[in-house]
Amino acid sequence: MSEATNISGEKSRLLDRQDDLELWLLGTETIPEFNAFVLKVYNQAFTDSTYRIPEEDIAGPSREFFHKARVCGVRHKTGQLIGTWGLILKEVTDTAFRLPLELRYDLPVEKIIRDLDSPHTRYAFNGWRTAVDKDALEKFSIDRNKSIFVFDFLIRGLTMDLLGDEREYLGLAEMEMLVYKYHRRVGIPWQIIGEPVHFWGRDRYPCAFQLGEFKDYMRRHHAERYAFLYDRPRGAA
């Protein structure tokens, strides 16, 4: 593991506010709520009436990884959870701890770094439990453009305390093709780096992106989003 960012502790902490939305670093006291939220969103997004994700498929990894992760949540001012996104981070020299993607796809970080020709990489972070509740977006009249803001708010929370240079960070995640295409559309330069594994009724691909490339892309193509992510004072709560 690594001290490159603050991870979630026992108690949640308010990080920022924007209009009716609040950005939180979720604490371990939220795990039951977090598990129920992710299970609901994932069942709606990835399954149909013939299959439901077992609760243990969400609860088990939470027991293993939540206390090792930086987990952010966006809440409406009423307190209702709208979106979550976590990252599990390690130094690439740490071969004792393996990230979830390394385990599921048998893809060591060292190989990914070589394949992507990313020699500056010092840290690898595994995106974890990305979920946005479409019912909540509708309930609070959050339109498509504002839903992209929810993702940016979460990214802001995940990256605001990272130490060092963005070029030192390599992002990893597993995602099905529809989610992969959405993330590409909103500006995250994911690349598919291996063959898919089939679970929860879908093929899910191992993916990676370089955080420095994401920052450069935002600067060139989405000036307002870049300013929100990187120029806004930290800790504006």
Side-chain angles (χ1 to χ4, degrees), residues 8 24-27 34 66 69-73 84-87 128 158:
S8 293
W24 288 81
L25 180 64
L26 298 180
F34 172 81
F66 196 105
R70 180 178 178 86
V71 184
C72 287
T84 61
W85 202 340
L87 64 81
W128 190 63
L158 293 174

Side-chain angles (χ1 to χ4, degrees), residues 11-230:
K11 298 295 183 181
S12 297
R13 179 160 59 92
L14 180 62
L15 299 176
D16 203 350
R17 289 191 182 94
Q18 181 75 11
D19 299 326
D20 291 339
L21 300 181
E22 299 174 347
L23 175 66
W24 288 81
L25 180 64
L26 298 180
T28 55
E29 91 281 4
T30 70
I31 286 178
E33 176 192 17
F34 172 81
N35 287 345
F37 176 84
V38 171
L39 185 65
K40 171 187 182 289
V41 172
Y42 283 13
N43 270 319
Q44 288 181 334
F46 301 133
T47 68
D48 55 31
S49 59
T50 65
Y51 176 77
R52 305 297 288 175
I53 296 170
E55 291 185 19
E56 182 59 20
D57 282 11
I58 303 300
S62 288
R63 289 193 297 271
E64 182 176 1
F65 292 116
F66 196 105
H67 67 287
K68 302 175 183 177
R70 180 178 178 86
V71 184
C72 287
V74 170
R75 295 186 184 277
H76 187 261
K77 64 181 181 181
T78 60
Q80 182 170 340
L81 195 58
I82 293 174
T84 61
W85 202 340
L87 64 81
I88 306 162
L89 184 145
K90 75 168 191 176
E91 294 191 41
V92 299
T93 54
D94 181 358
T95 56
F97 175 71
R98 300 184 71 193
L99 296 168
L101 184 136
E102 293 183 275
L103 293 169
R104 192 189 301 276
Y105 294 88
D106 193 24
L107 273 175
V109 164
E110 298 89 343
K111 181 181 186 306
I112 298 170
I113 290 171
R114 289 195 304 269
D115 290 348
L116 294 182
D117 189 22
S118 183
H120 298 293
T121 300
R122 181 178 175 187
Y123 305 102
F125 61 85
N126 202 135
W128 190 63
R129 297 302 188 238
T130 311
V132 173
D133 186 351
K134 292 182 180 179
D135 293 338
L137 296 181
E138 183 175 346
K139 175 181 177 179
F140 297 117
S141 300
I142 299 173
D143 62 18
R144 180 180 177 277
N145 289 334
K146 193 65 177 287
S147 71
I148 293 175
F149 169 79
V150 172
F151 278 98
D152 283 350
F153 215 11
L154 289 165
I155 292 171
R156 174 178 165 79
L158 293 174
T159 61
M160 64 193 307
D161 290 332
L162 292 181
L163 300 178
D165 189 279
E166 285 81 6
R167 292 175 299 175
E168 297 179 329
Y169 290 86
L170 182 70
L172 306 172
E174 56 189 35
M175 62 188 77
E176 52 106 1
M177 187 57 68
L178 185 64
V179 175
Y180 167 80
K181 290 180 178 179
Y182 176 80
H183 277 226
R184 294 276 301 184
R185 284 199 301 272
V186 301
I188 305 176
W190 291 106
Q191 300 180 52
I192 294 174
I193 56 174
E195 295 300 316
V197 170
H198 190 84
F199 64 100
W200 292 346
R202 306 281 181 89
D203 284 340
R204 284 176 166 72
Y205 294 83
C207 302
F209 81 100
Q210 295 171 331
L211 188 59
E213 289 185 358
F214 170 70
K215 184 174 182 180
D216 290 343
Y217 181 88
M218 287 291 107
R219 183 190 293 112
R220 293 195 307 269
H221 299 287
H222 298 285
E224 290 185 3
R225 292 174 61 198
Y226 176 88
F228 174 76
L229 287 168
Y230 295 106

